Amino acid sequence: MRRTFPGFSYGFRPGRSAHDAPDSLSAGIATKKANRIPDAGIKGFFDNISHEKRMEPIGLRIADRRILRPVGKWPTAGVAEAGQWPETKAGTPQGAAISPLPANIRLHYVPDQRAMERRKEEAACDAISVRYADDFVPGFQYRKEAERFLERWRKRLADYGLELHSEKTRPTEFGRFAEGNRKREGAGKPETFNFPGFPHICSTIHSSGKFTVMRKTVGKRVTAKLREIADKPSKRMNAPIGQTGTGLSRVVRGYYNYHAIPGNLKRLCMFRREAARHWLSTLRRRSQRSRWTWERFETLLDQYPPEPRITHPHPPDRFYAKHPDKSRVR
């Protein structure tokens, strides 16, 4: 089954990470005339998968009922919550070991095959396709192609009991020529889109002026993580300072491991500063006569949490190092 999936499918597959998919997308946008990116998302994919229709794609590859029967029962097993075991009538049990594989198979027969069919029908047009889990980003040379693809994709999803986000689905103008085209039309800056969890922004390299795709952390995710950090020190308010500092450093370092991508340094600095501010606030609440000033607190910041630095390479560099034949931007 692993060999069945196309090269542009990245989610839930061995040897492929959440960074490989946007790297592939950035390389494709930078090298092809993909000026229209349909910003579309499947509405509640993991919550609305029909258990009956889930087995149809699996049945196309497997005929042995001794395998199909336990696979079909697994999604209906449910999840234990607060000592209760509610029945699961639709959707995927979150955290179940079997959930990713049937989801990947279903997605292979919905957006992936449609993308491959479209290439055969419109081989003369520049196009790209990248998918990570239920986030699928196709790119087209012309707006008409993007709209036609969305219409056909919407019908195909309906056959499987799924639908697109109506308020979010739109052909976004993006790519190397987007800024010039929108400037001539007086339409302002190029539009942006999220994938997967990173806003993609049209930008240029300062040294050469060449087009590049810049990615930053979504603001809502930064806020959610900072709120989580703010709750942890307050629960250990009276713990030793070295212990809380070490714990905070682990959390911040783990955040850097995923978000330390080129172009995101300002967001990382802001994240460290706000995390430190929450820690200082906790230290001040330990006593009504607190003498923790910011100047005194800076001596702690020299030890923890660590200063941010970019650890991930530029997307094209990592992509071409892994795939010199460009086979996975298709």
Side-chain angles (χ1 to χ4, degrees), residues 54-305:
R54 165 197 285 275
M55 298 303 298
E56 292 179 8
I58 301 176
L60 297 174
R61 301 286 301 183
I62 302 172
D64 192 339
R65 293 189 177 183
R66 293 173 297 178
I67 298 177
L68 294 175
R69 189 168 179 268
V71 172
K73 282 188 173 183
W74 204 322
T76 62
V79 180
E81 296 180 359
Q84 298 183 352
W85 200 284
E87 182 182 359
T88 304
K89 297 182 179 180
T92 301
Q94 298 298 318
I98 194 63
S99 298
L101 182 57
N104 230 5
I105 296 173
R106 167 63 64 84
L107 290 164
H108 170 72
Y109 285 98
V110 182
D112 294 1
Q113 276 204 343
R114 175 59 204 138
M116 293 186 286
E117 293 169 3
R118 185 251 307 158
R119 288 197 196 99
K120 296 179 181 179
E121 298 169 359
E122 305 165 359
C125 302
D126 248 354
I128 59 174
S129 301
V130 180
R131 179 174 68 80
Y132 185 83
D134 60 328
D135 289 333
F136 179 65
V137 179
F140 301 89
Q141 187 171 358
Y142 305 109
R143 183 185 184 90
K144 188 179 296 184
E145 296 172 6
E147 293 175 346
R148 182 163 56 244
F149 177 85
L150 283 174
E151 185 61 29
R152 293 178 180 178
W153 191 19
R154 186 177 285 107
K155 293 179 180 178
R156 190 150 192 166
L157 286 172
D159 295 337
Y160 287 89
L162 299 170
E163 61 178 320
L164 294 175
H165 281 287
S166 58
E167 67 277 5
K168 296 181 180 179
T169 302
R170 58 191 176 89
T172 303
E173 189 171 9
F174 198 89
R176 291 181 293 162
F177 310 104
E179 185 174 0
N181 293 340
R182 294 179 67 83
K183 190 174 182 179
R184 286 192 297 270
E185 298 172 0
K189 295 182 179 180
E191 300 170 280
T192 64
F193 65 93
N194 294 344
F195 176 78
F198 286 106
H200 285 56
I201 308 166
C202 289
S203 185
T204 57
I205 302 174
H206 293 293
S207 57
S208 61
K210 293 183 179 180
F211 171 82
T212 187
V213 178
M214 180 180 292
R215 291 176 289 161
K216 295 182 178 180
T217 307
V218 177
K220 292 182 179 179
R221 295 197 175 187
V222 177
T223 304
K225 190 64 178 179
L226 288 172
R227 189 178 297 115
E228 178 184 336
I229 290 176
D231 293 338
K232 287 184 177 180
S234 60
K235 296 178 182 179
R236 300 191 299 269
M237 185 179 298
N238 296 319
I241 294 177
Q243 181 179 335
T244 56
T246 302
L248 180 62
S249 296
R250 291 197 191 103
V251 174
V252 172
R253 191 176 290 109
Y255 185 86
Y256 291 166
N257 289 341
Y258 183 79
H259 295 272
I261 57 175
N264 200 31
L265 185 59
K266 288 184 178 180
R267 287 284 174 93
L268 296 180
C269 292
M270 182 272 290
F271 177 81
R272 179 180 183 269
R273 184 178 63 253
E274 292 301 311
R277 187 176 62 82
H278 287 307
W279 187 25
L280 175 60
S281 177
T282 301
L283 293 175
R284 286 173 173 172
R285 291 202 304 269
R286 294 173 62 158
S287 173
Q288 294 181 351
R289 298 181 179 181
S290 175
R291 289 178 291 180
W292 278 104
T293 62
W294 183 262
E295 290 73 18
R296 182 187 175 192
F297 181 67
E298 285 181 338
T299 59
L300 286 178
L301 292 183
D302 294 337
Q303 304 176 47
Y304 25 65

